[in-house]
Amino acid sequence: MTTELLFRTDSYATSAVARVVSVGERGIELDRTLFYPMGGGQAGDTGALVRPNGERIAIADTRKGEQADSVLHVPAPGMPQPDPGEIVTLEIDWPRRYALMRLHTALHVMSCVVVAPVTGGNIAPEKARLDFDIDMSLLDAAKIERETNAIIARGIETEIVWITDSELDARPELVKTMSVQPPRGGGRVRLLRIPGIDLQPCGGTHVRNIAEIGPIRVLKIRSEGRRNRRVEIALAG
Ligand SMILES: [Zn+2]
């Protein structure tokens, strides 16, 4: 069962109505969802499903299901189970998701300040990181912070663009993150473009204008192995 992924077209939607398709041990499947399932380094969304009788089913995590575009909403322990066919109102924890969107977009900007292959990454609500295949001596926290914040301050609008699989295969230089496979599906690949700054395949959720990120600070830089020099950031404001 595939789920209509509402966050792909509108990452700012905070409420929607959906039908319960199945209820299993791993989670609840809906016909459509606002909840981003953990992937591409970005944490899964949390929030609640509200039943017609007003009962709230707290969602502690969101994961990908077995099939492409299937999404499992993982209830917190002890929550009531909805019935298949039931109509529920979806509410995501918006402050948490918005922090994820700001940090995620910040990593796109930072990946253009540190010019090196990206070997890993992670986005949590309170901090995010990228790992680079680069010499430690080339990573200067103050410089990364200053240059990333200077780009953010330019207030550029972001865009989602789609290209075909074959267009991506013809432009392998677009794939910066070696550890994350581009989000392919139905012969198309989704890209995030920050005009003049960055263009890369990404299935995650981003802010509309990079000014929304606000200033960031570099928390630490450390070596996690020869090809994983880790730069960790947080929102400063
Ligand atoms: Zn992204």
Side-chain angles (χ1 to χ4, degrees):
M1 164 74 205
T2 60
T3 310
E4 186 188 350
L5 307 177
L6 301 170
F7 55 81
R8 276 218 178 137
T9 43
D10 182 6
S11 58
Y12 287 78
T14 55
S15 181
V17 170
R19 188 171 52 82
V20 176
V21 172
S22 70
V23 181
E25 267 181 26
R26 293 189 56 215
I28 300 163
E29 281 195 78
L30 307 169
D31 63 345
R32 57 213 295 262
T33 194
L34 300 170
F35 287 72
Y36 179 83
M38 186 177 84
Q42 184 175 329
D45 279 331
T46 62
L49 308 181
V50 185
R51 307 182 74 183
N53 64 6
E55 200 168 50
R56 295 174 69 84
I57 301 168
I59 299 299
D61 195 6
T62 309
R63 296 297 179 100
K64 287 179 179 166
E66 302 283 322
Q67 295 158 51
D69 289 355
S70 80
V71 175
L72 298 164
H73 304 79
V74 183
M79 284 293 133
Q81 291 206 326
D83 299 316
E86 192 172 312
I87 302 296
V88 290
T89 302
L90 284 54
E91 294 176 4
I92 56 169
D93 180 339
W94 175 249
R96 181 180 179 279
R97 155 69 90 72
Y98 191 52
L100 288 167
M101 286 164 51
R102 291 166 69 202
L103 279 168
H104 184 140
T105 313
L107 291 186
H108 281 270
V109 175
M110 189 177 77
S111 78
C112 298
V113 168
V114 180
V115 182
V118 175
T119 51
N122 193 67
I123 305 138
E126 64 288 342
K127 62 185 182 183
R129 62 169 170 83
L130 282 179
D131 293 355
F132 297 96
D133 185 354
I134 193 172
D135 196 283
M136 277 299 268
S137 65
L138 297 173
L139 293 173
D140 174 342
K143 182 168 180 283
I144 293 168
E145 196 172 286
R146 189 173 62 243
E147 293 182 5
T148 302
N149 285 336
I151 295 173
I152 289 168
R154 287 166 58 189
I156 302 165
E157 298 282 317
T158 66
E159 299 166 8
I160 296 296
V161 292
W162 293 86
I163 61 173
T164 64
D165 282 352
S166 51
E167 282 171 322
L168 181 68
D169 292 338
R171 296 181 65 187
E173 74 279 6
L174 287 176
V175 182
K176 272 191 217 170
T177 308
M178 288 150 28
S179 63
V180 177
Q181 280 299 309
R184 293 171 186 259
R188 297 196 309 163
V189 185
R190 183 182 193 258
L191 295 93
L192 179 78
R193 177 191 282 147
I194 306 174
I197 306 292
D198 190 31
L199 174 66
Q200 61 179 296
C202 191
T205 58
H206 310 96
V207 292
R208 288 190 192 113
N209 186 302
I210 62 171
E212 292 177 48
I213 302 166
I216 59 104
R217 59 199 170 89
V218 174
L219 296 177
K220 58 181 153 191
I221 294 177
R222 67 170 185 272
S223 179
E224 291 287 324
R226 193 173 56 82
R227 298 181 67 211
N228 291 75
R229 314 301 192 181
R230 179 163 297 177
V231 181
E232 195 171 81
I233 64 166
L235 301 171

